[in-house]
């Protein structure tokens, strides 16, 4: 019987030492070392809608040509629109696509509100080009980064159609 006790004692000593070594190196509380999720309310809210504005036609721009980008709330029951913020881009010396960043106050954004971004190209007080669609932004899973494409406003002359389609290249003499 003594022999059985000594065999059990010899076999248990390494096992006890192994368990002791493992428990001393393991963290006391697994949740203490794991990164804690950030509460949703503490997440950084966006403060700007960013993107680019481009157009497809070949244009010679007048010196006073500019692009006006606006962030608009369209969720009013009466169908009215409220411009929340905007940016005017001076096109002198610029190249397409033009980059924009329209900053806004996050406190003015309602989670169930509907917000869109649109742009107009203006020269001599006239709207020459405008976005035909205004993408939704900010809320309800919509992005804060968009690319806007402008289309000509008003009738096209045959020359303008040929230039815009690429069938006729503009020449300088």
């Amino acid at each position: 019987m003594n022999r059985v006790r000594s065999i059990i004692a010899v076999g248990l000593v390494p096992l006890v030492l192994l368990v002791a070594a493992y428990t001393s190196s393991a963290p006391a509380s697994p949740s203490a070392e794991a990164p804690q999720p950030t509460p949703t309310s503490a997440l950084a809210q966006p403060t700007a809608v960013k993107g680019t504005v481009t157009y497809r036609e070949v244009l010679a721009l007048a010196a006073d040509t500019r692009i006006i980008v606006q962030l608009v709330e369209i969720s009013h029951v009466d169908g009215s629109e409220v411009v929340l913020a905007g940016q005017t881009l001076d096109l002198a010396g610029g190249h397409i696509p033009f980059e924009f960043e329209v900053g806004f106050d996050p406190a003015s954004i309602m989670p169930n509100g509907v917000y869109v971004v649109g742009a107009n190209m203006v020269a001599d007080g006239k709207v020459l080009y405008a976005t035909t669609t205004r993408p939704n932004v900010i809320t309800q899973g919509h992005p804060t980064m968009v690319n806007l494409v402008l289309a000509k406003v008003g009738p096209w002359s045959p020359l303008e159609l040929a230039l815009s389609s690429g069938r006729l290249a503009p020449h300088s003499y």
Side-chain angles (χ1 to χ4, degrees), residues 86-97:
Q87 180 186 16
T88 300
L89 306 173
D90 182 15
L91 304 186
H95 299 285
I96 58 172

Side-chain angles (χ1 to χ4, degrees), residues 49-65:
V49 174
K50 301 176 185 179
T52 60
V53 178
T54 189
Y55 50 88
R56 294 188 177 104
E57 293 76 29
V58 177
L59 299 175
L61 301 174
D64 70 335
T65 304

Side-chain angles (χ1 to χ4, degrees), residues 128-152:
L128 305 175
Y129 288 80
T131 49
T132 56
T133 60
R134 299 183 300 178
N136 289 23
V137 292
I138 305 170
T139 58
Q140 303 172 26
H142 294 292
T144 56
M145 188 86 144
V146 293
N147 299 314
L148 304 174
V149 179
L150 302 177
K152 185 165 175 42

Side-chain angles (χ1 to χ4, degrees), residues 34-103:
Q36 298 298 318
T38 307
T40 306
S41 61
L43 292 176
Q45 294 181 343
T47 59
V49 174
K50 301 176 185 179
T52 60
V53 178
T54 189
Y55 50 88
R56 294 188 177 104
E57 293 76 29
V58 177
L59 299 175
L61 301 174
D64 70 335
T65 304
R66 60 194 188 285
I67 293 176
I68 301 168
V69 182
Q70 293 181 324
L71 172 63
V72 181
E73 180 186 1
I74 62 169
S75 51
H76 296 276
V77 176
D78 64 0
S80 64
E81 299 183 352
V82 177
V83 176
L84 296 179
Q87 180 186 16
T88 300
L89 306 173
D90 182 15
L91 304 186
H95 299 285
I96 58 172
F98 298 98
E99 293 183 1
F100 70 87
E101 182 173 340
V102 177

Side-chain angles (χ1 to χ4, degrees), residues 88-131:
T88 300
L89 306 173
D90 182 15
L91 304 186
H95 299 285
I96 58 172
F98 298 98
E99 293 183 1
F100 70 87
E101 182 173 340
V102 177
F104 60 87
D105 178 10
S108 68
I109 303 299
M110 297 179 299
N112 60 345
V114 180
Y115 303 90
V116 296
V117 174
N120 293 325
M121 181 187 291
V122 180
D124 294 327
K126 297 178 195 171
V127 176
L128 305 175
Y129 288 80
T131 49

